[in-house]
């Protein structure tokens, strides 16, 4: 049994692949930023909020962590449609990814918040810092610095998981691949190319996080903490 | 001489345990008071009550004109007048020595970045660490970290400084460099209350020694009282400590 690879058949589709890569990057970028904000707020709410806030966040996190991403995507996509709203598949995809990654982010950031010793808060309080100032300068920033490697892994996973939004025909890389392979009947080659592209994307995302970390966390840069 | 700090019959419990049982003492402007006593006698608790880190159940505490026992106390204004240094330094690990010092002046007093940096350099010079401004806490020895912590408090220009066993985590050599900074401060006229196990230092620097025992002030007097204790408890304590 010999299989004749024919990658040349895919060459005419390079534009589409590129568009798919671009959309995957866009989806992931927006979902990362919004998911980070949502997750951090949830983490603060869960560790320091009113009892009902804590309960609400706990529910949200548990529901998301114990259901498949694909189901969450369908629920959000069809849920929005049922409400009579018309949203673009890409927007629904971002929304679903934000809701999903927000829950995971919140757990990671919460671990960071809890790792900040109470004596740090006391020191800030004694220096006269207000509560929001203490939160920002003494708790959240060092906490995020501490869990930054875990966050990086989570957002690489998010980028990879965004492939599943092809199921609601968001036009990202995997959706593009699905279409190309049915046009060319070159499924194996198509998914090999897509695999390599995702590998490259992961690498790019990791590098981007590393560079961002160097800019934001001065101590990492100075003390040369590896990522 | 006006009292900067006065405690009157202060009472404090943790659950069923009465930790402060009618503590009274005064510290005048420019005075250096050393609080000594066995472990568990309530020294740290008394210090924390002065800075409103603990709320008291009975008695009165006046600090620089603030009624600390008053439930309506504005803690922020109290803490503009009071600096505290802890045994465990509690520097912010993600900030350099200079940034640790600049944080409160910029956040609390609204001083500009450049002025705050000058201020940081100035207080670092006072503790002999101007060369370490850009170092992170983990790049500094324990003694240097503790001196940065002292400088951080000084930058807020407090009228009163509290020290809670600030040398207990340090080896003798590093202890010496921190004590020297505190001695300089005392000479400069700073009002200070220090909880310490360094009897020699208390005897030399303190204008007043407060011996606490079982949640009360058992004996108080000038540094010389350590050479001639009146109560058998202090005699036993001094005997064991030296
Ligand atoms: N937050 C707290 N909760 C419960 N008990 C406490 C708390 N803080 C202190 N205590 C208790 O109060 C008593 C006095 O504590 P404190 O720390 O004031 O003693 P200390 O004189 O400073 O002792 P040391 O020399 O060991 O530091 C101790 O029995 C301690 O166990
Ligand atoms: Mg103590």
């Amino acid at each position: 049994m010999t299989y004749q690879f024919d990658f040349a058949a895919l060459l005419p589709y390079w534009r589409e692949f590129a568009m798919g890569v671009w959309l995957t990057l866009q989806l992931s970028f927006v979902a990362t930023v919004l998911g980070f904000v949502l997750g951090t707020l949830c983490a603060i709410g869960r560790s320091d909020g009113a009892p009902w806030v804590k309960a609400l966040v706990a529910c949200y996190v548990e529901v998301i962590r114990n259901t498949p991403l694909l189901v969450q995507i369908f629920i959000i996509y069809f849920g929005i449609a049922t409400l009579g709203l018309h949203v673009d598949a890409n927007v629904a995809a971002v929304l679903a990814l934000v809701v999903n990654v927000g829950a995971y982010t919140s757990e990671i950031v919460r671990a960071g918040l809890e790792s900040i010793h109470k004596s740090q808060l006391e020191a800030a309080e004694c220096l006269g810092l207000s509560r929001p100032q203490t939160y920002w300068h003494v708790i959240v920033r060092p906490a995020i610095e501490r869990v930054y490697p875990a966050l990086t892994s989570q957002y690489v996973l998010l980028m990879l998981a965004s492939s599943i939004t092809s199921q609601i025909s968001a036009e990202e890389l995997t959706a593009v691949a699905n279409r190309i392979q049915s046009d060319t009947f070159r499924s194996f080659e198509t998914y090999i190319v897509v695999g390599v592209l995702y590998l490259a994307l992961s690498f790019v995302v990791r590098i981007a996080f590393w560079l961002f970390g160097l800019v934001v966390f001065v101590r990492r840069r100075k003390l040369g903490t590896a990522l | 001489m006006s009292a900067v700090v006065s405690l009157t019959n202060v009472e404090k419990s943790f659950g069923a345990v009465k930790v402060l049982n009618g503590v009274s003492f005064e510290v005048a402007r420019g005075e250096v008071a050393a609080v000594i006593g066995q472990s568990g006698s309530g020294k740290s608790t008394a210090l924390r009550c002065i800075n409103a880190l603990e709320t008291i159940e009975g008695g009165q505490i006046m600090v620089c004109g603030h009624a600390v026992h008053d439930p309506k106390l504005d803690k922020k204004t109290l803490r503009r007048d009071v600096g505290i240094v802890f045994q465990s330094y509690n520097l912010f690990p993600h900030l350099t020595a200079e940034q640790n010092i600049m944080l409160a002046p910029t956040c609390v007093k609204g001083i500009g970045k450049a002025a705050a940096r000058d201020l940081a350099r100035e207080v670092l010079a006072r503790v002999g660490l101007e060369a370490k401004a850009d170092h992170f806490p983990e790049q500094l020895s324990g003694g240097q970290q503790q001196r940065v912590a002292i400088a951080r408090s000084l930058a807020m220009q407090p009228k009163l400084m509290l020290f809670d066993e600030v040398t207990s985590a340090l080896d003798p050599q590093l202890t010496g460099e921190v004590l020297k900074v505190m001695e300089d401060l005392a000479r400069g006229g700073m009002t200070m209350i220090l909880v310490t196990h360094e009897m020699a230092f208390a005897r030399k620097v303190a204008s007043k020694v407060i011996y606490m025992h079982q949640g009360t002030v058992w004996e108080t007097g000038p540094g010389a009282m350590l050479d001639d204790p009146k109560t058998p408890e202090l005699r036993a304590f001094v005997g064991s400590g030296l």
Side-chain angles (χ1 to χ4, degrees):
Chain A
M1 200 168 91
T2 52
Y3 183 80
Q4 286 294 313
F5 281 100
D6 180 13
F7 286 103
L10 301 178
L11 267 179
Y13 293 92
W14 71 269
R15 240 172 219 292
E16 267 122 290
F17 278 117
M19 288 306 292
V21 166
W22 178 231
L23 200 89
T24 290
L25 273 177
Q26 283 178 301
L27 279 182
S28 312
F29 179 77
V30 177
T32 295
V33 172
L34 297 181
F36 174 74
V37 173
L38 173 67
T40 303
L41 292 177
C42 285
I44 292 173
R46 189 156 184 195
S47 59
D48 206 30
W52 69 268
V53 176
K54 287 184 182 174
L56 197 68
V57 174
C59 272
Y60 158 58
V61 168
E62 289 316 314
V63 166
I64 295 300
R65 289 204 306 173
N66 293 292
T67 51
L69 174 57
L70 186 56
V71 172
Q72 295 163 16
I73 290 171
F74 282 144
I75 288 178
I76 287 175
Y77 185 54
F78 293 118
I80 291 173
T82 309
L83 288 175
L85 301 170
H86 177 77
V87 291
D88 193 61
N90 291 341
V91 175
V94 166
L95 205 59
L97 290 175
V98 168
V99 168
N100 180 267
V101 85
Y104 288 93
T105 301
S106 124
E107 284 300 279
I108 295 172
V109 173
R110 186 164 70 107
L113 296 179
E114 281 170 3
S115 76
I116 305 295
H117 200 270
K118 202 176 124 269
S119 61
Q120 293 274 305
L121 313 193
E122 232 165 43
E125 190 188 338
C126 289
L127 285 167
L129 268 66
S130 68
R131 224 173 149 62
Q133 285 169 340
T134 303
Y135 245 99
W136 177 241
H137 292 287
V138 179
I139 308 181
V140 175
R141 287 184 51 181
I144 287 172
E145 183 178 334
R146 211 165 285 184
V147 297
Y148 193 67
L151 285 175
T152 301
S153 302
Q154 189 63 51
Y155 294 129
V156 170
L157 276 179
L158 163 75
M159 188 275 295
L160 297 177
S162 73
S163 75
I164 218 169
T165 61
S166 59
Q167 294 293 318
I168 55 170
S169 48
E171 281 297 297
E172 47 67 68
L173 183 54
T174 304
V176 169
N178 293 344
R179 213 179 46 241
I180 293 174
Q181 63 94 18
S182 69
D183 280 3
T184 59
F185 303 107
R186 285 283 157 194
S187 314
F188 195 26
E189 288 88 338
T190 303
Y191 288 112
I192 287 176
V193 168
V194 166
V196 170
L197 287 175
Y198 272 113
L199 210 57
L201 277 174
S202 295
F203 187 68
V204 167
V205 171
R206 270 185 199 282
I207 294 284
F209 267 91
W210 181 71
L211 289 174
F212 185 73
L214 286 186
V215 173
V216 175
F217 305 121
V218 183
R219 179 169 61 154
R220 296 192 89 85
R221 185 166 75 225
K222 283 250 177 118
L223 303 185
T225 320
L227 199 71
Chain B
M1 283 225 289
S2 56
V4 173
V5 180
S6 78
L7 280 71
T8 316
N9 286 320
V10 171
E11 295 183 22
K12 169 77 192 170
S13 311
F14 289 111
V17 188
K18 193 127 198 178
V19 177
L20 299 183
N21 197 0
V23 170
S24 305
F25 63 79
E26 284 198 351
V27 180
R29 188 173 309 284
E31 202 168 26
V32 176
V35 181
I36 60 171
Q38 272 98 343
S39 182
S41 56
K43 307 181 296 292
S44 298
T45 307
L47 215 58
R48 293 168 59 83
C49 289
I50 291 173
N51 201 18
L53 281 170
E54 308 284 355
T55 44
I56 61 173
E57 285 119 36
Q60 297 194 331
I61 302 180
M62 294 299 296
V63 176
C64 304
H66 306 282
V68 179
H69 52 275
D70 186 343
K72 292 197 293 288
L73 167 78
D74 179 3
K75 290 186 184 175
K76 274 195 92 164
T77 63
L78 169 70
R79 281 164 187 159
R80 277 176 168 244
D81 291 336
V82 183
I84 185 165
V85 183
F86 302 95
Q87 179 178 343
S88 52
Y89 333 133
N90 300 350
L91 292 178
F92 305 127
H94 61 298
L95 300 178
T96 61
E98 184 178 83
Q99 290 168 335
N100 261 279
I101 297 168
M102 289 166 62
L103 184 61
T106 49
C107 282
V108 180
K109 291 191 172 169
I111 293 173
K113 273 251 156 67
R117 183 163 291 118
D118 291 344
L119 179 62
R121 300 278 164 164
E122 184 196 318
V123 289
L124 277 173
R126 275 173 80 181
V127 300
L129 288 174
E130 55 277 65
K132 303 288 185 188
D134 294 327
H135 285 55
F136 287 92
E138 66 192 273
Q139 297 172 300
L140 299 172
S141 74
Q144 291 169 339
Q145 289 188 51
Q146 193 58 289
R147 280 145 71 198
V148 172
I150 294 172
R152 183 173 68 176
S153 276
L154 289 178
M156 292 301 280
Q157 285 144 345
K159 298 190 179 110
L160 167 72
M161 287 280 285
L162 308 174
F163 298 87
D164 191 1
E165 295 194 32
V166 293
T167 59
S168 295
L170 304 174
D171 64 34
Q173 192 202 336
L174 300 181
T175 296
E177 65 189 36
V178 173
L179 291 182
K180 183 174 172 308
V181 166
M182 292 166 68
E183 205 179 325
D184 289 347
L185 265 184
R187 270 213 215 91
M190 177 66 78
T191 310
M192 301 170 32
I193 304 178
L194 41 111
V195 173
T196 186
H197 286 297
E198 301 285 336
M199 289 305 154
F201 182 74
R203 189 181 279 120
K204 182 171 151 205
V205 176
S207 47
K208 175 184 244 173
V209 174
I210 297 163
Y211 171 59
M212 285 188 64
H213 185 63
Q214 295 178 349
T216 58
V217 175
W218 204 259
E219 196 174 332
T220 178
M225 107 186 177
L226 292 173
D227 300 319
D228 180 25
K230 302 223 164 19
T231 59
E233 287 80 8
L234 179 57
R235 193 169 308 128
F237 179 70
V238 172
S240 70
L242 288 177

